[in-house]
Amino acid sequence: MADFSLTHPLSGFFAPTRFEAEVIDCIVVGEIPSSLNGAFYRMHGDWIYAPKFKDEASLSADGYISMFRFADGSVDYRGRYVRTDRYNTQIAARRQLYGYYRNPHTDDAEVRDIDNPGRRTAANTTPVILAGKLYATKEEGLPYEIDPNTLETVGETDFGGEWKSQTFTAHPKLDPATGETFAFGYEATGLASTDIYLYSFDEAGKITWEVRFQVPYSSMMHDMSLSKDYVIIPGGGTVTSKERLESGRPHWAWDSERPSYYAIIPRGGSAADIRWFEGPERSIVHTANAWNDDDVVTMDAPVAEGNTWPWFEDVHGAPFSMNSFTIRRLTFDLRGNGKQPREEILFKQEVTSFTRIDERFSTTPNRYIFVQYVDSDKPFDAHLPDDPRQRPVNSYGRFDLVDRTLQSYFVGPTHVLQEPTFVPRSPEAEEGDGYLLGTAHNLKEMRSELVIVDATTMQECARVILPFRNAYQVHGVWASPDNLPLK
Ligand code: V55
Ligand code: FE
């Protein structure tokens, strides 16, 4: 019996949805731009059974993938759970078997696998397109391949045995100039390990390079960045250990006394070529973009000066308070022996960690950064659960790195926005000429809506109305028929 009331306070809009759906020819308000031909995929965390622990991170909710399929000005919707090992095992047992976020020591004995924690992945974070295939990813395990039309789960993959890490990042990076994709796994050899395995894939999806190295201390490395010549992987702040995991605590804690660290890895290089930088306490969850001018590497990202994870307890006992993100520029000068990045705050506006760019300009100096953020000057006329983390994210912003301006879109006083995904108007369009696609929770009507915003004017063009609500989205991706075999 799936009784959520006993074990978890998930309620209202944030309760699990626990159903799969198909909607043919969705209701649309406004007009769908005719140039939108493709599919917008999103991943959600949607608990099939209530978490075992009241203080569990929502990061462990079961993976669910949905799509809005655009063709000829109309839209179909489909949503399915990812048939992970975790999902199938729970469904067979008809109950929750898994414990704390990334801690198999807290799992029921029948599923506990300490040596291969990736088996318990929820595959709930990012829909990734790699060499013509679609994957549901999460950094704790291997990706699951998904049929891009039916959303059926094809199965877990280790890329024909070539991918040796137990884990695979939720944020691989494609170089639009070369067609290569770079991806890594951290805690590559098991719980609390300091092993990183980094790979490149060629355009056909074949692994062409591997480098293995060690981080200064095991920490959550959620995203990465790519420039023409370097891979940049930020880490630090979050800490774990075998002892912590054996004692039955969630995977991560926060240590405010630990430095941030940054691995700058020459593409195609060896472990000996890696340059390490270290900075003060920082939380970097997502990156916007990076580029390099010979040996000076620049990375833009939302950066916070302390813990941003409400579920990760402070090792020194400090109560949680949310540190805000601002878009900052980190510069890594490889010419001397310097070990500290230079840091500049580009915009004072506080933002969430969810940020995207026009990815055709990834690895090169780009002009626009798209964000979602809370505009506290705007009205709010709905209720969120009593939770300081869940302030209404009511706006999308477009930061212009040339003019240093912010242009915004406000979704309305009863809505909460999720990550914006940029879709170019055409393959040849200039940077930023296109649309932002993202979903909003309509808290009044208790349903989800897809908003389509013109990214040049930041004005809304259309809304797609779903007759139900989706669980919390994590990330989304746009696929055109050139990237995936869409039917
Ligand atoms: C994130 C999300 C995750 C996770 C680690 O957005 C980091 C950040 C939904 O799962 O496991
Ligand atoms: Fe992410």
Side-chain angles (χ1 to χ4, degrees), residues 161-452:
E162 295 294 300
W163 183 272
K164 306 292 186 188
S165 169
Q166 292 182 356
T167 58
F168 183 100
T169 180
H171 292 289
K173 291 287 176 284
L174 169 74
D175 183 337
T178 67
E180 293 165 286
T181 296
F182 290 76
F184 71 103
Y186 72 93
E187 297 198 354
T189 56
L191 293 172
S193 84
T194 50
D195 293 309
I196 313 287
Y197 294 0
L198 168 63
Y199 297 87
S200 63
F201 294 81
D202 68 12
E203 213 159 359
K206 190 173 162 319
I207 289 183
T208 48
W209 172 60
E210 181 205 67
V211 61
R212 299 182 177 193
F213 59 95
Q214 302 271 324
V215 284
Y217 63 93
S218 185
S219 80
M220 185 172 192
M221 303 175 88
H222 180 64
D223 201 348
M224 64 193 293
S225 213
L226 186 67
S227 74
K228 183 166 74 63
D229 302 309
Y230 297 95
V231 177
I232 303 103
I233 310 181
T238 40
V239 293
T240 190
S241 66
K242 286 215 154 114
E243 296 70 43
R244 175 178 177 80
L245 296 166
E246 281 160 15
S247 76
R249 302 295 303 138
H251 197 97
W252 301 113
W254 186 265
D255 188 344
S256 54
E257 288 172 11
R258 293 297 188 107
S260 51
Y261 57 77
Y262 307 84
I264 316 290
I265 308 121
R267 286 166 57 164
S270 66
D273 302 326
I274 297 173
R275 289 284 300 272
W276 287 96
F277 282 69
E278 229 179 69
E281 178 190 11
R282 289 289 180 266
S283 175
I284 296 179
V285 181
H286 297 116
T287 63
N289 196 16
W291 63 89
N292 69 283
D293 211 349
D294 294 327
D295 295 335
V296 180
V297 182
T298 302
M299 180 178 83
D300 292 345
V303 179
E305 297 189 0
N307 192 7
T308 56
W309 302 101
W311 311 283
F312 304 164
E313 66 191 352
D314 186 289
V315 295
H316 308 293
F320 178 76
S321 78
M322 184 68 190
N323 286 276
S324 51
F325 290 96
T326 48
I327 303 280
R328 303 185 189 204
R329 174 160 295 171
L330 298 176
T331 308
F332 306 92
D333 190 338
L334 306 178
R335 288 170 303 189
N337 290 319
K339 293 206 171 339
Q340 284 258 353
R342 192 168 75 234
E343 184 182 291
E344 179 196 356
I345 297 178
L346 296 178
F347 299 95
K348 290 210 178 71
Q349 173 64 52
E350 292 180 6
V351 294
T352 69
S353 79
F354 288 91
T355 178
R356 299 293 289 272
I357 63 163
D358 178 341
E359 283 160 14
R360 295 173 302 155
F361 294 82
S362 179
T363 76
T364 62
N366 63 307
R367 178 162 188 177
Y368 300 111
I369 296 178
F370 301 102
V371 297
Q372 55 166 37
Y373 73 101
V374 181
D375 183 342
S376 34
D377 293 336
K378 291 286 194 293
F380 184 56
D381 185 24
H383 292 284
L384 282 169
D386 183 20
D387 181 335
R389 284 169 271 152
Q390 291 170 343
R391 294 189 296 158
V393 175
N394 56 16
S395 296
Y396 287 151
R398 187 191 69 176
F399 287 117
D400 183 332
L401 293 165
V402 173
D403 295 346
R404 297 280 172 115
T405 53
L406 168 61
Q407 199 173 345
S408 294
Y409 159 77
F410 169 58
V411 70
T414 55
H415 287 59
V416 170
L417 283 167
Q418 312 209 284
E419 181 189 61
T421 297
F422 178 83
V423 183
R425 203 177 305 271
S426 71
E428 306 76 31
E430 276 184 53
E431 183 186 350
D433 182 9
Y435 303 97
L436 292 181
L437 265 52
T439 49
H441 303 316
N442 179 333
L443 298 173
K444 208 158 204 158
E445 309 280 343
M446 295 288 278
R447 64 179 187 222
S448 297
E449 298 170 5
L450 171 72
V451 297
I452 302 171

Side-chain angles (χ1 to χ4, degrees), residues 45 58-61 101-102 124-125 138-140 171 186 220 222 285-286 309 312 353-354 474-475:
S58 61
L59 304 175
S60 279
Y101 181 58
R102 301 188 66 181
N124 67 4
T125 309
K138 183 174 185 67
E139 65 203 62
E140 67 185 358
H171 292 289
Y186 72 93
M220 185 172 192
H222 180 64
V285 181
H286 297 116
W309 302 101
F312 304 164
S353 79
F354 288 91
V474 191
H475 295 292

